[in-house]
Amino acid sequence: MTNKLTFTRPDDWHLHLRDGRAMQSVLPDIARRFARAIIMPNLKPPVVTTAQAAAYRARILSALPQELAGRFEPLMTLYLTDTTTPEEISRAKASGIVQAVKLYPAGATTHSDAGVTDIARCEATLAMMEKLDMPLLVHGEVVDPAVDIFDREKFFIDRMLIPLLQRFPGLRVVFEHITTKEAVEFVQAVPNRIAATITAHHLMLNRNALFIGGLQPHHYCLPVLKREIHRQALVTVATSGHARFFLGTDSAPHPLGDKESACGCAGIYSAHAAIEFYAEVFERAGKLDQLEAFASFHGPDFYGLPRNTGKISLSQESWQIPEEIEFGGDKLIPLRAGGQVGWKLMEG
Ligand code: NCD
Ligand code: ZN
């Protein structure tokens, strides 16, 4: 008999859904697997006001196919800029639909040119977030061109994160898509108000995946893949049951032409098999019993939201990932295109 895994329906605490027709193509992949997702605000132009977040949320809900309507809740975020006001934070909190505010250091990643140039400019706004208990989500990389790209996360801890936590002792922070053992150790060492999300691709791949057999643009994301020792540290902590590490896919779709280009952009699409990839990682680590806590409990507990009551089931059978996916009239190359995954979503 095939092995079957049933557990509380998971949430994705870091997701790029894009907008318009592109969003319509990728939304079902997420909504079939996850009950809720933290929606990243890095649209062009970015989602900087509560009104824009409400409008984006409405577009997401109306893009859900009929069979998934009412089954998926987008949790909205605002994009922090140098000019975000404390009043905007109050409005966001009062709206009940904005769960967090995202800090992108300007220039750190895809669509981050409107990001924060100097955190000192956000002083009053961060103080309001601290006061209202609005979590700050950080893209944890410095942008200093003198810093080696593989060390940007490590430098972010010392240069930005430690001073930020000292300046705002009550601010809750999610260190997004961590990729290094230094980030793991830092989150473990700081008391309860800091948590971290971990992607499936950083649990599965190390930086060799960027170069094996030639340059692999579909494995390029930010933060960039790291050495094997870092991947192992991520797997160890994700499967350990530690309550402040949880699932965030950072699934970030881009059209084929933007990836396979002279200057390919950052972002890996994993939503088509997201929970299946995590199941594989936990199974390989001999820790399948910890998957539910990582995917379905730790996130809502940290955000102060109820855990989901519905269930999801995966069967242990191999299926083939398509070579490409339709993406708003364009093509999208999914993670592990054409390859096999060992767990399959059971619909229902
Ligand atoms: C993200 C995107 O494409 O929006 N890309 C990525 O490589 N993760 C931006 C981000 O989260 O850094
Ligand atoms: Zn992201």
Side-chain angles (χ1 to χ4, degrees), residues 321-344:
I321 294 178
E323 295 285 354
E324 56 185 46
I325 291 176
E326 191 282 328
F327 186 48
D330 227 309
K331 283 179 188 165
L332 167 65
I333 306 298
L335 182 58
R336 209 185 282 173
Q340 301 282 319
V341 202
W343 290 91
K344 190 165 184 206

Side-chain angles (χ1 to χ4, degrees), residues 69-86:
R71 258 187 52 177
F72 177 72
E73 172 68 16
L75 306 174
M76 308 311 292
T77 59
L78 294 189
Y79 187 115
L80 185 67
T81 72
D82 289 353
T83 56
T84 305
T85 61

Side-chain angles (χ1 to χ4, degrees), residues 233-271:
L234 296 176
V235 171
T236 301
V237 81
T239 60
S240 72
H242 192 300
R244 283 183 289 113
F245 294 84
F246 44 84
L247 185 157
T249 63
D250 195 19
S251 179
H254 290 279
L256 172 73
D258 289 359
K259 296 285 294 174
E260 296 182 11
S261 124
C263 185
C265 64
I268 290 179
Y269 185 70
S270 61

Side-chain angles (χ1 to χ4, degrees), residues 17-28:
L17 263 188
R18 313 306 187 205
D19 209 345
R21 285 178 66 200
M23 166 167 77
Q24 209 133 18
S25 302
V26 294
L27 182 57

Side-chain angles (χ1 to χ4, degrees), residues 131-146:
K131 186 173 155 206
L132 299 179
D133 197 23
M134 173 70 83
L136 178 72
L137 316 182
V138 296
H139 181 107
E141 292 193 287
V142 295
V143 291
D144 180 350

Side-chain angles (χ1 to χ4, degrees), residues 185-227:
E185 286 160 7
F186 182 75
V187 172
Q188 284 174 319
V190 176
N192 297 334
R193 67 192 176 103
I194 177 161
T197 55
I198 306 181
T199 76
H201 46 277
H202 289 106
L203 290 169
M204 296 190 297
L205 304 174
N206 66 34
R207 66 189 196 177
N208 286 356
L210 283 163
F211 306 111
I212 282 177
L215 193 57
Q216 302 288 341
H218 300 292
H219 289 159
Y220 176 55
C221 64
L222 287 171
V224 72
L225 296 171
K226 302 296 191 303
R227 283 181 185 278

